[in-house]
Amino acid sequence: MAAARLAALGQDDGLARELRAWMAAELPARVPTRGAAARALGLMSERTLARRMQAQGLSFSGLLDAARRAAALQAVARPELALAGIGQSLGFAEPAVFWRAFKRWTGCTPAQWRAGQGTECGTDPNRLSSAD
């Protein structure tokens, strides 16, 4: 029984890991969707993916938010990239929506973070850049 439980825990982590990797690969081109994830991971349907995620306590929107955060922090660290363009590339409809999300993630605006790499916001940029 213990071996079966350990195997199940390994599978739980596997789905989250697969989703994170897939989302990170998809973000430069398009905003990942649950339907596209189900197809990419070879699952039968979007609903099957939803059931598996629910059983494992995963949230597609939470994983997507973490993937966007990681991509945003990497992109904002590159001064040659326009901040508005970064938000648009991550699927935010308006720059203001990206600014609010970035402030929620880091405690400061993208411009403030870029200027001080998060130090004046009271955040540890190394902690923020790692995926949950």
Side-chain angles (χ1 to χ4, degrees):
M1 187 173 191
R5 182 65 184 138
L6 284 173
L9 286 173
Q11 290 173 349
D12 290 356
D13 187 43
L15 179 60
R17 187 176 34 255
E18 283 184 76
L19 282 168
R20 284 185 189 107
W22 178 80
M23 286 178 176
E26 283 293 297
L27 265 176
R30 67 192 60 82
V31 176
T33 64
R34 193 167 52 193
R39 289 187 297 278
L41 298 179
L43 301 173
M44 294 184 69
S45 70
E46 182 177 344
R47 184 66 190 126
T48 299
L49 176 60
R51 279 193 300 271
R52 289 185 183 177
M53 290 181 70
Q54 183 179 24
Q56 296 175 21
L58 298 173
S59 159
F60 191 85
S61 62
L63 291 171
L64 179 56
D65 191 57
R68 280 177 155 173
R69 178 185 66 197
L73 288 169
Q74 288 177 359
V76 169
R78 297 178 54 200
E80 71 275 11
L81 298 178
L83 296 174
I86 294 168
Q88 185 177 16
S89 72
L90 294 174
F92 291 97
E94 299 288 331
V97 179
F98 172 58
W99 262 245
R100 282 192 300 272
F102 198 91
K103 188 156 183 142
R104 176 175 45 88
W105 296 327
T106 65
C108 61
T109 68
Q112 291 168 330
W113 195 90
R114 179 177 274 177
Q117 294 295 297
T119 55
E120 62 245 6
C121 301
T123 60
D124 177 1
N126 295 318
R127 180 187 61 82
L128 292 170
S129 63
S130 64
D132 293 348

